[in-house]
Amino acid sequence: MLSEYRAIYEGGQGEIVEKKSRFIATVKEIESEEDALEFIENTKKKYWDARHNCFAYVLGERHETARFSDDGEPGGTAGKPMLDVLLGEDIHNAAVVVTRYFGGTLLGTGGLVRAYSGAVKEGLANSTVITKTAGVHLYIETDYTGLGKIQYILGEQKIAIMDSVYTDKVELTAMVPTENLGKIKSDLIEGTNARAVLTEGDACYFAEIEGEVVIFEK
């Protein structure tokens, strides 16, 4: 399980024009090769009248699966440069199709590489790209005398409190990055003189999106 990785939260589109040729990049999050192939096929159907629909996609924690296609463009001028952008930006589990409407002027090898790469960058710029962090739900049970110290420790470490229940005791649910879990637990135990009861929950990934913490299974 990676400590963190970049992924598409919401796909988008970007377009550039080179010598009257239009290059339209469509970006989407995927979870499997089936997802990727379905997305590619649907995009080709949408832009059925285009000269080319080139694609690239990556899957896996370490980009174990990486595929691309030039779809009739000269070899190495479209799909591979598109894939290189995804890998260079360290984007995981994503697919992109670049649709080209030919403008009548040949761009040459270098021009095609720049155009297809540039279109993908534009597509990513118009997508919501997030960093998913490996984390653990930490359940904290304390009396009211220890609450202030716990809130201070969590706030200082920028640990998000997901839920809180106040009865004769206080029960908090925090989302803690896996790599910081040991230190946070140690700080909480020391800060409350071991009065707080700490229980680890399920591991997951999480990201902060528009000020809110969103949980992901992977």
Side-chain angles (χ1 to χ4, degrees), residues 176-189:
V176 180
T178 303
E179 63 181 9
N180 295 343
L181 182 61
K183 182 179 187 309
I184 294 298
K185 290 175 67 176
S186 176
D187 288 350
L188 290 172
I189 290 170

Side-chain angles (χ1 to χ4, degrees), residues 99-167:
T99 301
R100 181 188 183 188
Y101 285 95
F102 185 55
T105 302
L106 297 176
L107 300 183
T109 300
L112 287 172
V113 170
R114 287 190 296 274
Y116 278 100
S117 299
V120 175
K121 291 176 182 177
E122 192 69 18
L124 290 175
N126 292 325
S127 302
T128 302
V129 181
I130 60 174
T131 298
K132 293 184 178 181
T133 302
V136 175
H137 288 88
L138 183 64
Y139 303 102
I140 307 166
E141 184 179 308
T142 181
D143 54 31
Y144 281 86
T145 60
L147 178 59
K149 186 64 175 179
I150 290 172
Q151 290 174 325
Y152 173 77
I153 292 170
L154 297 179
E156 190 176 44
Q157 298 293 325
K158 297 182 180 179
I159 302 300
I161 297 177
M162 307 293 295
D163 190 27
S164 55
V165 178
Y166 298 91
T167 55

Side-chain angles (χ1 to χ4, degrees), residues 33-51:
E33 283 206 81
E34 290 73 19
D35 282 352
L37 296 175
E38 181 180 4
F39 162 64
I40 292 163
E41 188 61 32
N42 288 340
T43 306
K44 285 183 175 182
K45 288 178 180 177
K46 179 178 179 180
Y47 297 107
W48 60 271
D49 58 339
R51 176 72 67 92

Side-chain angles (χ1 to χ4, degrees), residues 24-73:
I24 305 166
T26 308
V27 180
K28 188 178 187 300
E29 178 196 14
I30 56 172
E31 295 185 358
S32 66
E33 283 206 81
E34 290 73 19
D35 282 352
L37 296 175
E38 181 180 4
F39 162 64
I40 292 163
E41 188 61 32
N42 288 340
T43 306
K44 285 183 175 182
K45 288 178 180 177
K46 179 178 179 180
Y47 297 107
W48 60 271
D49 58 339
R51 176 72 67 92
H52 305 282
N53 281 289
C54 306
F55 69 79
Y57 63 87
V58 289
L59 280 163
E61 284 193 347
R62 305 191 185 282
H63 303 121
E64 293 89 348
T65 300
R67 304 277 188 268
F68 63 86
S69 168
D70 294 313
D71 193 35
E73 292 282 29

